[in-house]
Amino acid sequence: MKTRTALLLAILLAPSMAPAAPQDPLAAKASSYGCFSCHGMVRKQVGPGFAQIAERYRKAPAPPEQLASKIRNGSVGTWGRVIMPRQRQVSEADAQALAVWVLSQPPPPP
């Protein structure tokens, strides 16, 4: 009986526990490239959240170009010991669009 109840609960709750599908086309593009495997929208998962990245890079001299380069070429040491692997499958144009999208994220709540 307990097994049936647990199975029924899992079936009923599974759709509500799944991450929401991105509504924003650039969020969907980020999802298609697997960005959400390591990055959350606001807070750190494996790597920093997009809001955290935006907060750090907004004041950089050429933020979209810097971020697009980090997306395609990777980086080490920018966020501690976390390694951002190269993402060569991301085109230059997509890297630029994703960088602009990341920079558009609101700051994380305090």
Side-chain angles (χ1 to χ4, degrees):
M1 184 65 176
K2 285 183 183 180
T3 305
R4 272 193 204 165
T5 304
L7 181 59
L8 181 59
L9 276 173
I11 291 170
L12 292 173
L13 293 176
S16 66
M17 295 172 62
Q23 300 300 315
D24 179 342
L26 285 170
K29 185 174 292 283
S31 181
S32 74
Y33 281 123
C35 301
F36 290 106
S37 298
C38 295
H39 300 279
M41 287 301 295
V42 178
R43 300 280 180 224
K44 178 180 179 177
Q45 288 181 21
V46 174
F50 294 126
Q52 294 172 305
I53 296 168
E55 187 169 297
R56 179 178 283 187
Y57 283 93
R58 265 191 253 283
K59 296 176 183 147
E65 292 78 17
Q66 281 185 315
L67 284 181
S69 174
K70 288 186 183 273
I71 290 168
R72 296 228 340 120
N73 301 318
S75 70
V76 178
T78 305
W79 295 89
R81 298 179 69 173
V82 177
I83 296 170
M84 168 68 181
R86 290 182 178 145
Q87 303 297 318
R88 293 291 188 184
Q89 77 279 10
V90 179
S91 70
E92 292 281 344
D94 281 353
Q96 191 72 24
L98 288 169
V100 169
W101 173 75
V102 168
L103 290 167
S104 74
Q105 300 308 308

